[in-house]
């Protein structure tokens, strides 16, 4: 309950700041801005911005000093969800319990909303009022996590692997980029902007990499075992599209064991004590949605 209370406090602060940062929906082009706000302000766990703030606290920084960095990470995440849901990729109808962006606004506006959120994320991060070397390092982290070594690369291999039998190396490449890269970057960005030492930044980056894999394995499992109402998005689609997942390669029981192993490795990588980060590592594998 203490963790859930802390996560809600993080999420409430992020939501409030996102409402301030995002372009108002009554400003031209209003439908584009409405679509951006619709997707970015939809109810969500705000896990990635929570990791930014918790990592900053873990190295002695404050959540307020990194709030815009946390919002930038959430914008990137929302951009990726909009594009991931498009007919050309996963063709999903439901996201966070609501119609997906392209179902609500059409494909053209959805594509532009995703593009705009990505650009706006970097603009937001670049304007963080901290020392320029710290901001530059944070921008580089987010850039790396978004491109071909991160989200885009993982998504590409995921799409190209549909219907094929993949080995563990390919599966880990997909998950470590498509999901793990942004989660790892969230922890590193929080540590960087929070004033952490190089060793602390590296430890928190490693923590995030393991949490990202644990989270994605759990997500694969939920896609197999949860209902759409529980999950807030389409379920069973991974199996229908013959996507590369841990349950498809290892089965449910072994996938659960691997998720737990990554959760434990994440905690072991922490450079110092943090009840929130330990709790988040455990939550990654025990969550129900």
């Amino acid at each position: 309950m203490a963790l859930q209370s802390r996560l809600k406090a993080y999420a409430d602060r992020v939501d409030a700041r996102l409402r301030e940062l995002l372009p108002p929906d009554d400003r031209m082009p209003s439908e584009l801005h409405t679509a951006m706000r619709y997707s970015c302000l939809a109810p969500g766990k705000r896990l990635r911005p929570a990791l930014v703030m918790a990592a900053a606290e873990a190295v002695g920084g404050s959540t307020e000093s990194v709030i815009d960095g946390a919002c930038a990470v959430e914008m990137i995440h929302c951009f990726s969800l909009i594009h991931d849901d498009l007919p050309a990729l996963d063709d999903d109808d439901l996201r966070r319990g609501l119609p997906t962006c392209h179902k609500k606004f059409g494909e053209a506006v959805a594509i532009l909303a995703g593009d705009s959120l990505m650009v706006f994320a970097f603009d937001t991060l670049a304007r963080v009022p901290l020392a320029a070397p710290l901001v530059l390092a944070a921008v580089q982290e987010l850039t790396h996590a978004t491109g071909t070594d991160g989200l885009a690369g993982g998504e590409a291999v995921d799409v190209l692997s549909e219907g094929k039998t993949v080995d563990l190396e390919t599966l880990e490449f997909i998950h470590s980029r498509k999901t793990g890269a942004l989660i790892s970057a969230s922890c590193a960005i929080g540590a960087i902007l929070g004033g952490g030492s190089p060793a602390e930044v590296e430890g928190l980056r490693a923590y995030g990499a393991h949490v990202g894999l644990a989270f994605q394995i759990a997500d694969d499992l939920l896609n197999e075992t949860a209902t759409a109402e529980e999950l807030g998005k389409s379920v069973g689609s991974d199996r229908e599209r013959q996507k590369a997942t841990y349950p498809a390669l290892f089965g449910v029981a072994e996938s659960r064991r691997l998720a737990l192993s990554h959760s434990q490795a994440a905690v072991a990588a922490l450079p110092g004590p943090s009840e929130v980060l330990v709790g988040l590592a455990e939550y990654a594998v025990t969550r129900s949605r």
Side-chain angles (χ1 to χ4, degrees):
M1 290 302 294
L3 176 65
Q4 292 303 319
S5 177
R6 193 67 167 275
L7 291 179
K8 185 178 185 307
Y10 288 149
D12 288 347
R13 182 66 188 97
V14 168
D15 286 345
R17 185 58 177 152
L18 283 171
R19 290 189 182 93
E20 295 172 349
L21 288 168
L22 290 167
D25 53 16
D26 59 356
R27 194 180 93 196
M28 292 272 297
S30 59
E31 187 163 358
L32 176 58
H33 292 155
T34 299
M36 291 168 66
R37 296 181 73 91
Y38 172 84
S39 294
C40 207
L41 296 173
K45 296 179 288 293
R46 309 294 186 237
L47 172 67
R48 290 151 189 83
L51 286 167
V52 174
M53 292 187 282
E57 289 178 324
V59 299
S62 70
T63 56
E64 281 307 302
S65 69
V66 302
I67 184 64
D68 283 5
C71 288
V73 165
E74 184 66 10
M75 291 175 198
I76 290 290
H77 179 52
C78 290
F79 131 72
S80 74
L81 297 182
I82 292 172
H83 282 196
D84 195 46
D85 290 335
L86 287 167
L89 294 176
D90 285 355
D91 194 16
D92 280 325
D93 297 339
L94 195 65
R95 174 67 68 177
R96 291 177 169 176
L98 299 171
T100 50
C101 190
H102 70 275
K103 285 293 181 180
K104 181 79 171 177
F105 299 97
E107 288 182 48
V109 171
I111 291 169
L112 292 169
D115 293 345
S116 299
L117 281 170
M118 180 179 67
V119 173
F120 204 70
F122 286 105
D123 182 70
T124 298
L125 184 55
R127 294 174 185 271
V128 170
L130 292 173
L134 298 181
V135 175
L136 176 60
V139 169
Q140 289 174 321
E141 288 284 342
L142 194 56
T143 302
H144 184 77
T146 306
T148 57
D149 284 329
L151 279 169
E155 184 67 51
V157 178
D158 188 26
V159 170
L160 295 172
S161 297
E162 287 183 9
K164 300 177 182 178
T165 300
V166 301
D167 56 19
L168 178 59
E169 182 181 1
T170 302
L171 185 60
E172 286 185 341
F173 181 96
I174 293 169
H175 283 358
S176 64
R177 269 73 171 180
K178 185 177 175 181
T179 301
L182 188 57
I183 289 179
S184 182
S186 298
C187 297
I189 288 168
I192 290 166
L193 296 180
S197 68
E200 288 174 322
V201 172
E202 187 55 40
L204 284 160
R205 185 186 288 113
Y207 162 89
H210 284 293
V211 164
L213 281 170
F215 190 90
Q216 184 56 56
I217 296 170
D219 206 54
D220 286 352
L221 287 164
L222 287 170
N223 193 272
E224 291 289 326
T225 61
T227 66
E229 291 73 21
E230 290 171 333
L231 206 53
K233 60 181 180 181
S234 302
V235 296
S237 54
D238 289 348
R239 184 173 61 256
E240 291 171 9
R241 295 175 67 91
Q242 295 181 286
K243 293 179 78 70
T245 68
Y246 275 82
L249 190 60
F250 293 107
V252 170
E254 178 63 9
S255 295
R256 286 181 174 144
R257 189 196 69 77
L258 288 168
L260 180 60
S261 175
H262 279 294
S263 174
Q264 293 169 339
V267 173
L270 285 171
S274 170
E275 289 184 13
V276 174
L277 292 176
V278 171
L280 280 169
E282 294 171 350
Y283 169 76
V285 295
T286 59
R287 64 197 175 92
S288 58
R289 59 186 176 89

